[in-house]
């Protein structure tokens, strides 16, 4: 009897400490033992919408426990600014994730690596490759890609089709060219393999597996984890094949033409000049290329799908863009230097990225030292989620945020507004998106060309809006939709 009493007391004490919120930390719902607050996310509603609705009870900053991990959720611009910029040294880590730690070989990439001199060098190299590629090669490549899109669209013109295939092929072509220096035909088996891998990976992972939240679940068999590992290995195999091809063909004395060449050249220079521990091993090279590939393809594809959907739902906006393009550039292909002469088109792209926030919860950060957000304590190791979707739908900053209104980004002289506090599609601070410049440039070039050359309409029988959020994921797409494209020329 006394043993039972002792066991019950021990169990109750464990439960008390398991669910107790650390003192001074942000308020939030009481967690269950072991699973924490995971049940709040079960259902049809997206996590970012649930988090925003929780602000009415707990305030703009609250905490939840996912399995065994405490996480602070920030829902407004003021606290996001504090975490990402004012206290960037405190919150620039990434939390441990079972799947992504395996994938990144313990954070040897950029997106899941912890801040360190090595990680900083990798970010710098990625920036350099992206900047060089965007300035030197992007317009030429997009010219080729556009010809291929034109071929596919002229076959589909006048009939309903899903634009996902053609947009995916265009974006993958651009990123593969930046990474590998190759341009692909739309039916190239390797390009189709990348897309298959990416789809399988997303379906397997969704918003994380049980093993990411509950350590004990790592010992259970999981089809999701197995699929994720299999397709990741397939992606690594393609990347390694490309690295080996480059190793045979490139010369360290020539200027680098793509990301792999730049990384190999840096590795070569490092070996010649530096005897300290290598900051750019073969594993790092594989990881950096894989990061840019994954981070660069899904986000831009999703944004362009939101873009076409928003144009179908808002034909008046589509007409205004066409008029601006006709007046400013006529029928020649758009160039990057046109952007500043096209403020309305620019405002539309910005509104697309607000309205269809494609990375709604950004990527989760982690406190790397004890710190504070607002009046609350945040202890080392706590996850920090910036709810970018809530920032983009904050009625304090956006008039009728549920409406698609590009004019909100223009001032009274029709110039793009410079100060946009509650707008963070690419995040900011130490971990801000590395590919921002490339993403903006390729989205501008592909989107303006599409609207200049085609009018997108609802497919027959479709009623209601098509720019509607699909299954909630780290990168969130629209629901699949059909459109009819009419050629303008
Ligand atoms: C519309 C397109 C894109 C959007 C909306 C987007 C958005 C984001 C966001 C919100 C983050 C998380 C930042 C944070 O943790 O605070 C991120 C990280 C990242 N993005 Fe992008 N991104 C886009 C395109 C790209 C492209 C084209 C590339 C590269 C080719 C890229 C590479 C990366 C990388 C490597 C990171 C991790 C940065 C780090 O952890 O330090 N992204 N992006």
């Amino acid at each position: 009897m006394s043993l039972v009493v002792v066991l019950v007391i021990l169990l109750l004490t464990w439960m008390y400490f398991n669910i107790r919120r650390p003192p001074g930390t942000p308020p939030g719902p009481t967690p269950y033992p072991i699973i924490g607050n995971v049940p709040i996310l079960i259902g049809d509603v997206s996590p970012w919408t649930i988090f925003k609705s929780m602000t009415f009870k707990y305030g703009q900053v609250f905490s939840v426990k996912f399995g065994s991990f405490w996480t602070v959720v920030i829902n407004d611009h003021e606290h996001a600014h504090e975490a990402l910029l004012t206290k960037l040294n405190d919150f620039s880590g990434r939390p441990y994730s079972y799947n992504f730690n395996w994938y990144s070989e313990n954070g040897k990439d950029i997106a899941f690596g912890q801040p360190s001199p090595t990680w900083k060098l990798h970010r710098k190299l990625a920036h350099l490759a992206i900047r060089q590629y965007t300035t030197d090669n992007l317009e030429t490549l997009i010219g080729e890609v556009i010809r291929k899109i034109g071929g596919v669209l002229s076959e589909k013109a006048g009939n309903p089709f899903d634009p996902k295939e053609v947009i995916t092929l265009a974006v993958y072509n651009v990123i593969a060219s930046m990474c590998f220096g190759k341009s692909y035909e739309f039916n190239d088996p390797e390009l189709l393999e990348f897309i298959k891998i990416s789809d399988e990976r997303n379906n397997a992972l969704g918003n994380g597996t049980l093993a990411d939240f509950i350590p004990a679940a790592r010992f259970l068999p999981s089809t999701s984890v197995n699929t994720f590992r299999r397709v990741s290995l397939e992606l690594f195999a393609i990347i390694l094949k490309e690295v080996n091809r480059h190793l045979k063909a490139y010369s360290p004395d020539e200027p680098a033409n793509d990301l792999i060449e730049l990384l190999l050249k840096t590795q070569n220079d490092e070996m010649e000049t530096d005897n300290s521990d290598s900051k750019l091993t073969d594993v790092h090279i594989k990881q950096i290329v894989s990061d840019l590939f994954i981070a660069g393809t899904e986000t831009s594809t999703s944004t362009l799908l939101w873009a076409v959907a928003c144009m179908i739902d808002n034909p008046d906006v589509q007409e205004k863009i066409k008029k601006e393009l006709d007046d400013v550039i006529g029928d020649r292909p758009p160039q990057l230097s046109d952007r500043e002469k096209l403020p309305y088109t620019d405002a539309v792209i910005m509104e697309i990225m607000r309205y269809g926030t494609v990375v709604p919860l950004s990527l989760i950060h982690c406190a790397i030292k004890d710190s504070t957000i607002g009046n609350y304590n945040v202890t080392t190791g706590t996850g920090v989620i910036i709810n970018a979707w809530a920032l983009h739908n904050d009625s304090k900053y956006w008039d009728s945020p549920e409406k698609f209104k590009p004019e909100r980004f223009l001032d009274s002289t029709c110039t793009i507004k410079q100060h946009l506090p509650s707008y963070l599609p690419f995040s900011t601070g130490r971990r801000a998106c590395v590919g921002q410049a490339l993403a903006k440039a390729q989205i501008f070039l592909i989107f303006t060309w599409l609207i200049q050359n085609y009018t997108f309409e609802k497919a027959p029988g479709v009623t209601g809006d098509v720019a509607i959020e699909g299954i909630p994921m780290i990168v969130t797409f629209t629901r699949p939709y059909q459109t009819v494209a009419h050629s303008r020329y």
Side-chain angles (χ1 to χ4, degrees):
M1 185 64 187
S2 56
L3 183 65
V4 172
V5 172
V6 170
L7 284 177
V8 168
I9 291 171
L10 281 176
L11 184 68
L12 289 175
T13 314
W14 174 81
M15 274 172 61
Y16 170 75
F17 282 107
N18 189 267
I19 65 174
R20 191 182 73 126
R21 229 174 209 84
T25 57
T30 305
Y32 294 100
I34 301 174
I35 56 172
N37 298 114
V38 170
I40 59 172
L41 299 183
I42 295 171
D44 291 340
V45 185
S46 59
W48 38 97
T49 323
I50 294 171
F51 289 154
K52 187 164 163 60
S53 66
M54 287 169 69
T55 61
F56 297 109
K57 186 162 181 194
Y58 301 108
Q60 299 292 357
V61 180
F62 56 81
S63 61
V64 280
K65 199 175 185 198
F66 293 128
S68 49
F69 303 110
W70 281 104
T71 300
V72 170
V73 185
I74 297 178
N75 294 277
D76 66 350
H77 147 69
E78 290 78 3
H79 293 99
H81 189 280
E82 180 183 350
L84 297 175
L85 290 172
T86 322
K87 294 181 180 160
L88 81 173
N89 286 330
D90 302 3
F91 298 110
S92 55
R94 296 283 188 216
Y96 174 83
S97 148
Y98 176 67
N99 283 309
F100 287 116
N101 256 60
W102 173 84
Y103 175 78
S104 64
E105 292 162 86
N106 293 323
K108 292 205 174 55
D109 67 338
I110 299 172
F112 302 100
Q114 301 299 348
S116 69
T118 305
W119 170 82
K120 252 180 157 173
L121 171 76
H122 298 163
R123 262 190 77 103
K124 202 171 121 198
L125 289 171
H127 258 303
L128 197 68
I130 288 172
R131 206 176 48 230
Q132 189 176 316
Y133 180 81
T134 308
T135 321
D136 298 350
N137 306 58
L138 188 67
E139 274 178 350
T140 317
L141 184 84
I142 296 265
E144 279 175 37
V145 166
I146 277 166
R147 268 193 296 284
K148 290 172 195 164
I149 304 179
V152 180
L153 284 183
S154 61
E155 278 170 26
K156 311 234 178 218
N159 293 310
F161 73 103
D162 181 343
K164 186 166 183 187
E165 184 191 332
V166 64
I167 288 176
T168 308
L169 287 167
V171 171
Y172 273 72
N173 221 325
V174 172
I175 304 290
S177 154
M178 180 189 72
C179 294
F180 311 141
K182 265 181 169 177
S183 133
Y184 293 89
E185 284 308 314
F186 274 8
N187 57 1
D188 190 299
E190 197 167 273
L191 195 60
L192 299 175
E193 178 69 11
F194 283 137
I195 296 170
K196 185 184 95 40
I197 288 174
S198 168
D199 283 347
E200 278 196 68
R201 188 176 181 274
N202 278 345
N203 292 338
L205 214 55
N207 274 318
T209 64
L210 204 58
D212 283 314
F213 301 119
I214 302 171
R218 288 164 205 169
F219 301 103
L220 301 173
S222 161
T223 319
S224 307
V225 173
N226 291 343
T227 308
F228 175 66
R229 292 192 173 195
R230 176 177 54 76
V231 293
S232 300
L233 292 174
E234 283 170 18
L235 176 66
F236 288 153
I238 302 180
I239 293 172
L240 285 176
K241 192 179 87 190
E242 281 302 321
V243 173
N244 289 332
R245 181 176 71 82
H246 279 67
L247 267 174
K248 283 187 200 133
Y250 104 112
S251 152
D253 304 324
E254 299 288 318
N257 287 316
D258 58 41
L259 175 71
I260 295 183
E261 279 191 9
L262 180 79
L263 295 173
L264 290 174
K265 199 168 148 50
T266 311
Q267 190 185 47
N268 189 68
D269 294 349
E270 191 188 57
M271 281 193 293
E272 281 179 5
T273 58
D274 194 352
N275 292 325
S276 61
D277 282 349
S278 174
K279 294 195 185 70
L280 195 59
T281 60
D282 293 350
V283 175
H284 287 131
I285 293 184
K286 178 184 79 178
Q287 285 292 339
I288 295 170
V289 177
S290 142
D291 248 17
L292 294 206
F293 207 87
I294 300 285
T297 44
E298 289 166 18
T299 44
S300 301
T301 305
S302 166
T303 304
L304 284 163
L305 281 168
W306 276 99
V308 172
C310 289
M311 294 305 95
I312 298 170
D313 291 345
N314 298 277
D316 52 327
V317 174
Q318 197 178 163
E319 276 316 306
K320 276 193 190 171
I321 302 179
K322 289 184 201 304
K323 176 153 183 4
E324 189 177 60
L325 292 172
D326 289 349
D327 291 348
V328 178
I329 61 174
D331 60 1
R332 69 158 168 80
Q335 294 164 358
L336 289 175
S337 55
D338 295 327
R339 190 167 187 154
E340 59 193 37
K341 295 173 259 162
L342 299 165
Y344 185 75
T345 307
D346 212 6
V348 171
I349 296 174
M350 293 173 90
E351 176 67 343
I352 288 163
M353 299 189 80
R354 183 200 69 85
Y355 189 81
T357 307
V358 300
V359 198
L361 297 180
S362 206
L363 288 185
I364 185 166
H365 287 227
C366 172
I368 46 181
K369 54 166 85 153
D370 288 350
S371 186
T372 53
I373 293 176
N375 295 323
Y376 300 116
N377 295 335
V378 180
T379 48
T380 311
T382 305
V384 177
I385 289 179
I386 308 289
N387 187 353
W389 184 86
L391 266 67
H392 290 181
N393 285 277
D394 188 340
S395 50
K396 196 166 137 195
Y397 290 101
W398 309 105
D399 168 38
S400 308
E402 71 291 352
K403 295 202 174 126
F404 186 81
K405 291 206 296 184
E407 291 76 13
R408 61 172 96 244
F409 286 95
L410 296 170
D411 66 16
S412 54
T413 65
C414 266
T415 309
I416 293 286
K417 285 183 190 163
Q418 290 307 313
H419 186 55
L420 298 162
S422 201
Y423 186 62
L424 277 186
F426 295 99
S427 189
T428 185
R430 186 155 286 173
R431 300 223 69 132
C433 175
V434 175
Q436 189 170 157
L438 172 63
K440 283 181 174 168
Q442 72 161 332
I443 288 165
F444 170 78
L445 290 172
I446 297 177
F447 176 69
T448 47
W449 182 85
L450 285 173
I451 304 303
Q452 180 191 40
N453 288 278
Y454 288 89
T455 300
F456 292 91
E457 287 176 359
K458 266 185 193 153
V462 175
T463 50
D465 286 350
V466 290
I468 296 175
E469 195 174 276
I471 299 166
M473 300 227 240
I474 297 172
V475 176
T476 295
F477 284 73
T478 56
R479 284 188 200 161
Y481 62 86
Q482 299 260 311
T483 181
V484 177
H486 298 283
S487 172
R488 292 182 75 215
Y489 297 105

